[in-house]
Amino acid sequence: MPTPTKGPRVGGGPAHERLILSNLATSLFEHDRITTTEAKAKRLRPLAERLITFAKRGDLHARRRVLTVVRDKGVVHRLFAEIAPDMAAREGGYTRITKIGARKGDNAPMVVIELVREPLSAKKATVKEAEAATKRAAKQSESKKAAAKTKAAEDAEKTEAAAAVELPAGAVAANEDGSAPEGYTVKGNADSGLYHEPDGQWYDQTIAEFWFKSAEDAEAAGFKKAGSGS
Amino acid sequence: MAVPKRKTSRSNTRSRRANWKATPTTLTTCPQCGAAAQPHIACPSCGSYKGRHYAAAERTEHQA
């Protein structure tokens, strides 16, 4: 028995479903961003991402495969010529679904589904690089050291590394019980790289690794204001 | 065909219906404009979500 498609059925029959999905995909590649219901967007997402993968391949065979779904040659040209180059650095995750409020008439949950065309953020790119570097380093160290490296030793190394986290300039580490040092009121969250001022939305729930005297000090230490967006 | 033997009393009807309760919507404050907004949903008053702006999310006059 073939595996059923994930997600709800849309439309009145299989042919209707194919038509709805191909029309949605066509609109998405034409306009970059479309508003639809959550159920339709969730069905559209895997189809659209697959079509973008074809577009990144870019040869005639891939183009013909895409044309079986998106019938509009102009839109397919746009997909191959404009959208695919933007997605070159991305490994999947080409679309983004953001929920907006429910529709007025039938209270259907609505979403905006859009192509993620902005370049990979610098932060993510560096993280990727760093991961690759650690992988390389791990490989080298493994080959250097004898294979008899116990897990306990590894754990010990990790804890050492964690303890040696450097304090940023103008920051003070939290007291043992997590309370604020005298005169320091701004919380710094080392995990997220954000700082919280006392009137901030998340101030009370934040566990502070560092404390700053003021927001300016936190900014100077490379922390971002919480809620300012990433 | 099986049928109810007795008419459902007003008391039973009402005590059943007394348990139909609406639950309050979970709300957070929008970090952008400070208005109340549902979590994980773009703010209906300013249309922002995670630093991005969605015009389609903004509540129109008709909906307010």
Side-chain angles (χ1 to χ4, degrees):
Chain A
M1 191 183 127
T3 317
T5 316
K6 208 174 174 185
R9 308 287 107 78
V10 294
H16 190 190
E17 178 168 290
R18 276 197 297 275
L19 281 166
I20 288 175
L21 290 175
S22 76
N23 286 340
L24 281 169
T26 309
S27 303
L28 178 65
F29 295 135
E30 190 179 348
H31 301 288
D32 276 0
R33 174 186 278 204
I34 56 173
T35 307
T36 181
T37 60
E38 194 176 346
K40 278 181 190 158
K42 283 189 172 172
R43 285 299 306 277
L44 172 62
R45 192 210 277 255
L47 177 70
E49 303 226 347
R50 199 166 137 78
L51 295 180
I52 292 170
T53 309
F54 279 127
K56 281 170 80 173
R57 209 177 294 161
D59 55 2
L60 183 61
H61 179 53
R63 188 178 292 258
R64 284 181 177 153
R65 295 285 302 274
V66 173
L67 272 164
T68 61
V69 179
V70 181
R71 303 291 178 146
D72 190 323
K73 277 186 187 162
V75 174
V76 173
H77 174 74
R78 185 170 185 274
L79 173 63
F80 275 66
E82 292 173 29
I83 297 170
D86 288 355
M87 303 294 188
R90 223 168 259 285
E91 299 170 333
Y94 309 125
T95 57
R96 180 191 289 138
I97 294 178
T98 307
K99 290 174 192 164
I100 59 177
R103 182 157 62 191
K104 170 125 172 140
D106 58 358
N107 204 27
M110 300 299 282
V111 299
V112 171
I113 180 165
E114 63 185 322
L115 299 174
V116 185
R117 291 188 67 178
E118 58 259 40
L120 278 176
S121 65
K123 196 169 144 197
K124 264 186 199 154
T126 46
V127 165
K128 225 177 175 184
E129 253 172 51
E131 269 173 12
T134 42
K135 247 185 212 168
R136 273 198 300 275
K139 251 187 195 169
Q140 279 174 357
S141 66
E142 259 176 44
S143 57
K144 269 181 198 167
K145 285 178 190 170
K149 188 179 178 189
T150 58
K151 204 178 177 214
E154 265 182 6
D155 286 353
E157 262 180 39
K158 263 183 207 166
T159 46
E160 262 173 45
V165 170
E166 273 181 49
L167 282 179
V172 167
N175 293 341
E176 291 274 308
D177 58 349
S179 63
E182 196 102 346
Y184 291 79
T185 52
V186 177
K187 284 182 174 182
N189 189 337
D191 303 327
S192 61
L194 301 174
Y195 70 83
H196 301 265
E197 287 175 278
D199 55 351
Q201 192 183 356
W202 300 281
Y203 184 77
D204 292 331
Q205 69 196 57
T206 305
I207 298 159
E209 281 84 7
F210 304 123
W211 288 88
F212 297 99
K213 263 185 180 157
S214 66
E216 287 82 47
D217 282 357
E219 288 273 9
F223 280 74
K224 273 196 212 154
K225 184 170 169 61
S228 61
S230 51
Chain B
M1 198 179 79
V3 287
K5 192 168 189 177
R6 292 242 165 241
K7 174 182 175 157
T8 310
S9 68
R10 270 180 295 198
S11 162
N12 271 344
T13 304
R14 286 169 187 170
S15 74
R16 183 177 66 249
R17 289 186 188 161
N19 289 307
W20 298 353
K21 288 164 199 156
T23 49
T25 314
T26 317
L27 288 178
T28 57
T29 53
C30 169
Q32 199 70 35
C33 67
Q38 278 175 275
H40 309 295
I41 291 181
C43 172
S45 67
C46 69
S48 72
Y49 185 72
K50 293 217 168 152
R52 299 183 296 266
H53 180 257
Y54 294 92
E58 282 175 38
R59 205 191 290 110
T60 56
E61 258 176 66
H62 183 62
Q63 286 172 310

